[in-house]
Amino acid sequence: MTRIVVLGGGFAGLEAMRVLERRLGARPDVELLLVSDRNHLLFTPLLPQVASSLVEPRHIVQPVRDIRGARRFRFRRDRVVDIDLGGRRVLLAEGEVAYDRLVIAVGSVTPSFGVPGVDRYALAYKSLEDAIVVRDHLIDLVEHADHEPDPAVRRRLLTVCVVGGGATGVELIAELEDLFRSYVVPRYRGIRPDEPRLLLLEAGREILRGVHPALAARARRRLRREGIEVRTDTQVTRVEPETVELAGGMAIAAGLVIWAAGVTGHPLLAGLAVPHDRLGRLMVDGHLRLPGYPEVYGAGDAVTVDGKPEASVPIIPAALAHGRLVAENIVAELSGRPLRTIDFAPRGMLVSLGEKHAVVEIMGLRFSGYPAWLFWNALHLVKLVGLRKQVQVALDWSLARVFPRDSAMMRPAARCPICARTAAQGLGARAA
Ligand SMILES: Cc1cc2nc3c(=O)[nH]c(=O)nc-3n(C[C@H](O)[C@H](O)[C@H](O)COP(=O)(O)OP(=O)(O)OC[C@H]3O[C@@H](n4cnc5c(N)ncnc54)[C@H](O)[C@@H]3O)c2cc1C
């Protein structure tokens, strides 16, 4: 019996498992096991729309067990705590499993770059729960600001800083601006239209690095027109309760700081005695194998392909291409055929800029505005896994044209990590 174990039920891991299941699922001498700490695939491109209450959280996740072919592979919801490469076993929170072939596809994490206070006082923005916490925290701030008599406190409560001017930060700030303009200002009588303040802070010289400069400039102009303050060459040096400190000594009083800056290797992989890149991601060869361990493959955000930066970009199409290739190479290996080398380069970039606006670069074509927004929506709807989720998201978008967004807080404020910390220290208006 050959046991093939895939770690991580994200885009790379699930794609690998889907191909393996199709090619090997009927073979009695092969056992397929997927291990992931979440029992669903999260469709990250729509996370900003969860944070802005446009789309329901459940509508952007697909349970692993509902995925076609799932009955022909085993799924175990468990957390990987270590990988014993020499002993060919994976240590889990609830036991261990041995493997003959292993695919490591546990994704990445957002680095804090050692900036003090990020882990305690900035909200993360990576998982579904993060998006729900961002949404609830923001609505809680608005609820407080609505009856706050002191204009300076109100101003602080209504100031949101997103740190990181990549596509993730840009899409998030644009969605939050929509939420303020289309929902908060018309419904909260205590809040004036000019009071909410949204800032995008980027340490580099430009936002949207990797996007064509003309499109990045268009995006920047669009954000500015919407009243969003875009600050480039701006390095955050510390996050305090309700304050962001910048290099040069300036400080911004902010009710909410969201950290959306960069990608770094998964901490689980840091201890493995194999080469890593400068971001802490595992180095794999062109066949996506770990040097020195030909039975171990890596895929998705967790890895970087040696000598091929274009194949190592942390985006969904790259994760899917990796997932497919590792599965095909495992099948080839088991049938004695030669392995294939990764051949992937991003074919474009799509960045949503909120309601009715986007910038798109695809196969050499560049466009922006409403047509780009329609293209962004259509493409992401098609890419959502499963007809049910596609219908649910399409309905959410359609209903938002007729009905207001839903501002019901889903978690009590006390369960918000930031509120709990500031309250414990007796700091801030929200702690009272
Ligand atoms: C907010 C946001 C928006 C994005 N928008 C886009 C976009 O519009 N377009 C685009 O192309 N890319 C986008 N990305 C990037 C894209 O989501 C990633 O490139 C992609 O998810 C990488 O796939 P992956 O399978 O490597 O990792 P992931 O999809 O992150 O999957 C990793 C899996 O491993 C599991 N896991 C992690 N640790 C453990 C552990 N210890 N034990 C068990 N399981 C574990 C996780 O639960 C998860 O299921 C976005 C990312 C974010 C955060």
Side-chain angles (χ1 to χ4, degrees):
M1 177 70 76
T2 303
R3 182 184 288 157
I4 304 170
V5 178
V6 176
L7 306 180
F11 289 94
L14 263 176
E15 185 66 9
M17 194 43 98
R18 261 189 278 206
V19 176
L20 287 168
E21 181 273 330
R22 234 179 6 246
R23 305 286 298 274
L24 301 173
R27 270 178 58 169
D29 59 332
V30 174
E31 185 188 338
L32 302 175
L33 171 65
L34 174 68
V35 180
S36 192
D37 59 359
R38 291 195 308 231
N39 77 343
H40 59 252
L41 170 72
L42 170 66
F43 193 69
T44 47
L46 294 184
L47 266 185
Q49 301 190 358
V50 168
S52 72
S53 267
L54 183 63
V55 166
E56 280 302 310
R58 272 174 195 274
H59 297 172
I60 68 161
V61 291
Q62 174 77 346
V64 172
R65 297 191 191 271
D66 292 350
I67 288 170
R68 215 167 55 184
R71 288 171 65 107
R72 288 203 284 180
F73 64 84
R74 273 177 51 221
F75 173 63
R76 176 166 174 164
R77 202 211 61 74
D78 207 337
R79 189 167 51 82
V80 179
V81 291
D82 204 357
I83 302 170
D84 174 6
L85 292 172
R88 295 193 179 189
R89 59 194 186 122
V90 178
L91 308 181
L92 304 169
E94 295 174 27
E96 64 174 68
V97 283
Y99 61 80
D100 298 296
R101 299 288 181 283
L102 181 70
V103 178
I104 302 174
V106 290
S108 59
V109 296
T110 309
S112 67
F113 300 109
V115 175
V118 171
D119 295 335
R120 282 181 71 79
Y121 303 117
L123 286 183
Y125 176 60
K126 183 104 179 135
S127 67
L128 188 63
E129 166 144 52
D130 291 341
I132 295 170
V133 170
V134 164
R135 172 192 174 280
D136 279 8
H137 188 83
L138 192 67
I139 290 169
D140 191 28
L141 289 170
V142 169
E143 294 291 353
H144 281 276
D146 189 50
H147 57 76
E148 170 59 51
D150 182 340
V153 175
R154 222 169 42 236
R155 179 82 166 151
R156 166 168 53 76
L157 291 172
L158 294 171
T159 297
V160 177
C161 288
V162 172
V163 184
T168 303
V170 167
E171 291 194 338
L172 176 63
I173 198 113
E175 273 298 324
L176 296 184
E177 193 278 329
D178 268 359
L179 174 68
F180 272 108
R181 184 174 29 78
S182 70
Y183 183 79
V184 172
V185 169
R187 275 176 179 74
Y188 288 76
R189 289 176 55 182
I191 297 175
R192 289 199 321 270
D194 61 332
E195 283 183 312
R197 186 178 177 211
L198 293 155
L199 295 105
L200 182 67
L201 308 177
E202 163 59 40
R205 297 196 60 191
E206 259 314 327
I207 61 166
L208 294 177
R209 198 150 36 97
V211 174
H212 190 277
L215 282 186
R218 259 185 251 177
R220 188 174 181 153
R221 280 199 299 276
R222 164 75 189 179
L223 295 179
R224 285 223 169 111
R225 253 201 321 275
E226 294 303 308
I228 296 165
E229 291 176 43
V230 179
R231 297 197 184 181
T232 44
D233 285 322
T234 300
Q235 211 169 346
V236 173
T237 51
R238 177 182 291 272
V239 184
E240 295 273 336
E242 300 172 340
T243 307
V244 185
E245 287 178 19
L246 308 178
M250 198 185 155
I252 300 170
L256 174 55
V257 181
I258 305 162
W259 197 261
V263 159
T264 195
H266 195 296
L268 173 70
L269 310 176
L272 299 184
V274 286
H276 294 73
D277 71 358
R278 64 182 177 83
L279 299 175
R281 303 192 297 168
L282 290 180
M283 289 278 243
V284 289
D285 65 18
H287 305 307
L288 305 185
R289 291 198 296 196
L290 224 55
Y293 298 93
E295 70 285 2
V296 182
Y297 292 79
D301 281 9
V303 303
T304 190
V305 187
D306 198 8
K308 288 189 176 238
E310 71 286 358
S312 315
V313 191
I315 53 172
I316 295 166
L320 293 173
H322 290 183
R324 270 192 298 277
L325 188 81
V326 293
E328 277 162 15
N329 278 347
I330 290 173
V331 174
E333 205 195 311
L334 294 182
S335 37
R337 283 186 285 109
L339 305 194
R340 276 184 43 217
T341 303
I342 187 79
D343 176 22
F344 174 86
R347 283 191 298 172
M349 186 88 183
L350 287 78
V351 184
S352 162
L353 298 170
E355 185 70 16
K356 297 198 179 114
H357 212 99
V359 289
V360 169
E361 181 179 9
I362 195 140
M363 292 190 275
L365 221 71
R366 289 191 289 274
F367 54 111
S368 60
Y370 189 58
W373 179 78
L374 285 179
F375 184 78
W376 190 99
N377 281 280
L379 192 83
H380 285 93
L381 201 58
V382 170
K383 294 282 178 196
L384 252 176
V385 186
L387 180 65
R388 177 173 160 198
K389 300 294 165 179
Q390 290 171 332
V391 171
Q392 286 174 324
V393 167
L395 273 175
D396 283 341
W397 287 346
S398 310
L399 291 174
R401 309 253 145 253
V402 185
F403 299 107
R405 299 184 192 211
D406 192 332
S407 66
M409 288 169 63
M410 295 171 72
R411 300 154 50 104
R415 289 193 51 209
C416 167
I418 300 297
C419 297
R421 277 176 212 130
T422 47
Q425 297 188 359
L427 290 161
R430 279 173 298 121

